[in-house]
Amino acid sequence: MVSNDLYYFITNLNANNYAVWKDSYGFFEVVIGQGLIHEYVKQTNTKLIVSDFMGLKKNIPTKFNNIVSVGGFSAHNDAKIEAQNSNIDLITIPVPLSNDSFGTNRCSCEDNENTVSFECIFPRKVVFDIDILVDFGVSESISGVGEYIGLYYSIIDFYLKNDKFPDEVLLNYIISNFFELLVLHANKEETKILSKISILLVLKCLIMRLNTNHEIGCGIDHSFARVFEKDLNMLHGKAVFLGSILSSFLFPDWDKWGLNTKSLIKAGKQIRIISDSDIIFLCDIDLNKLVNNAIRIRHGRSTMLNHLSKDEIINKQKRFKNSYNGIH
């Protein structure tokens, strides 16, 4: 069960664009605002680790007392490792909002998300600069929605594989926030959309942090995603979203907790994280092979996929194909 402190934190962050979390790992500060990046770029006692696509000058002072990472996965990954090795604070500034690496203590030994992660340092602070995110465009951050909604399937997978009943209050909370985001997107409220995605990704990070187990946030959906990323070089957020769709029709009884395949596909097309061609792709893929690869690629981790027979997989894909092939 998730504590009431989490709901209070997210409510406070929604209302004030600022909140501080404290636990056995230490403090975790979150701030959302405009023009915030400039404060960190000009600091002389800070080492900047920046993704190349940001076009920012990398500040590497002789002496520094904190590290600031700006950009995507590789920047945050490198910064976490160096901050831990140097025993100094880390501040992350995610641009765009494509995954949750800015707020976790997971790292990779390679400059991608295809290898097995290991435990590292948590950032002390995360800064969301809405101006920079707007400049990059909402479309560049929308894949972060895939990273977020995959949480629904990861949580169910996590509980059921451990013979426990999922936290319904938490699942309802995840879904209600998801549909609030869809309303903002329909109304084309750019700054509110980006703020909402920021908050939802922080929510996911804190759920993993609270449970002291990152697997609750990267389960069955991420197993599929790892295959798509490795074999097709697919963007992480989109790969997780497609992994969520697969999870939804392979385990249709999971929709009793509030989210079904039809709603998920409709939402994905609305925010343009997926298209008709992606649905056709899922209809025609060799799903038995994909499931086996998803299990194999994370062979040290159990998943509800292990409970599916070959015939079940074939029949469920047929039902999905009959319902959604040629969807417009």
Side-chain angles (χ1 to χ4, degrees):
M1 298 292 286
V2 173
S3 71
N4 289 330
D5 291 340
L6 176 64
Y7 302 116
Y8 175 79
F9 178 92
I10 296 300
T11 299
N12 194 27
L13 185 56
N14 263 307
N16 303 308
N17 289 326
Y18 179 81
V20 179
W21 180 267
K22 183 181 179 182
D23 57 20
S24 60
Y25 292 110
F27 287 92
F28 179 54
E29 186 178 359
V30 181
V31 58
I32 303 171
Q34 296 173 301
L36 301 177
I37 194 171
H38 304 295
E39 173 188 344
Y40 300 96
V41 170
K42 66 183 180 183
Q43 288 181 355
T44 57
N45 63 343
T46 294
K47 178 175 180 177
L48 282 180
I49 296 181
V50 186
S51 294
D52 292 337
F53 61 79
M54 289 297 301
L56 291 174
K57 182 180 179 180
K58 298 179 182 180
N59 181 31
I60 309 177
T62 304
K63 294 182 179 180
F64 50 91
N65 54 27
N66 60 59
I67 293 175
V68 175
S69 57
V70 186
F73 173 84
S74 60
H76 306 314
N77 190 66
D78 292 346
K80 277 186 267 191
I81 294 171
E82 183 167 351
Q84 174 160 287
N85 291 340
S86 304
N87 194 28
I88 58 177
D89 286 339
L90 170 64
I91 299 170
T92 60
I93 305 178
V95 184
L97 304 174
S98 54
N99 58 62
D100 61 16
S101 63
F102 64 84
T104 74
N105 69 336
R106 306 305 300 179
C107 285
S108 174
C109 59
E110 295 184 11
D111 192 21
N112 56 53
E113 296 184 274
N114 293 329
T115 56
V116 176
S117 65
F118 58 90
E119 188 171 321
C120 198
I121 193 175
F122 276 109
R124 180 186 64 79
K125 183 177 184 178
V126 59
V127 176
F128 296 99
D129 189 324
I130 300 301
D131 283 346
I132 295 293
L133 293 170
V134 167
D135 287 345
F136 266 75
V138 171
S139 61
E140 294 297 317
S141 289
I142 210 68
S143 64
V145 180
E147 179 80 288
Y148 170 72
I149 201 55
L151 180 62
Y152 174 88
Y153 298 95
S154 286
I155 287 174
I156 296 173
D157 185 40
F158 182 82
Y159 276 89
L160 293 183
K161 74 181 184 181
N162 290 303
D163 296 320
K164 295 181 180 179
F165 197 74
D167 184 339
E168 290 190 61
V169 174
L170 178 57
L171 292 175
N172 287 335
Y173 188 70
I174 290 168
I175 295 167
S176 64
N177 276 281
F178 177 61
F179 285 111
E180 285 176 16
L181 174 64
L182 296 180
V183 172
L184 294 175
H185 189 275
N187 293 334
K188 299 180 180 180
E189 301 183 66
E190 281 193 342
T191 58
K192 290 183 179 180
I193 293 168
L194 293 167
S195 293
K196 189 69 172 179
I197 297 174
S198 302
I199 292 168
L200 296 184
L201 289 176
V202 168
L203 170 63
K204 179 183 178 182
C205 291
L206 284 178
I207 288 171
M208 292 187 285
R209 181 166 171 152
L210 258 172
N211 283 272
T212 64
N213 190 335
H214 70 288
E215 290 186 18
I216 196 171
C218 52
I220 184 173
D221 52 301
H222 273 63
S223 293
F224 286 122
R226 293 293 183 240
V227 179
F228 291 145
E229 290 171 287
K230 180 176 180 292
D231 294 349
L232 303 175
N233 198 29
M234 189 180 290
L235 289 175
H236 181 68
K238 177 176 180 177
V240 175
F241 200 96
L242 291 181
S244 298
I245 294 174
L246 287 166
S247 304
S248 73
F249 75 74
L250 284 172
F251 297 95
D253 56 318
W254 291 6
D255 65 12
K256 65 188 175 187
W257 287 296
L259 189 60
N260 59 41
T261 306
K262 183 177 180 180
S263 297
L264 190 60
I265 291 175
K266 181 179 179 182
K269 292 174 67 177
Q270 176 188 325
I271 61 177
R272 297 182 181 178
I273 192 173
I274 61 168
S275 64
D276 289 340
S277 62
D278 294 310
I279 304 306
I280 295 170
F281 166 71
L282 295 183
C283 288
D284 295 338
I285 196 169
D286 184 339
L287 191 52
N288 260 306
K289 181 179 178 180
L290 176 60
V291 169
N292 287 333
N293 287 342
I295 293 171
R296 189 180 303 112
I297 203 168
R298 306 173 99 183
H299 56 85
R301 188 179 303 183
S302 63
T303 170
M304 291 302 291
L305 291 174
N306 296 99
H307 297 263
L308 292 174
S309 69
K310 181 177 180 179
D311 287 342
E312 282 183 294
I313 294 170
I314 292 172
N315 290 333
K316 287 177 178 179
Q317 186 179 26
K318 283 181 179 177
R319 285 196 287 270
F320 175 75
K321 188 170 184 175
N322 290 337
S323 299
Y324 295 102
N325 197 12
I327 191 170
H328 294 290

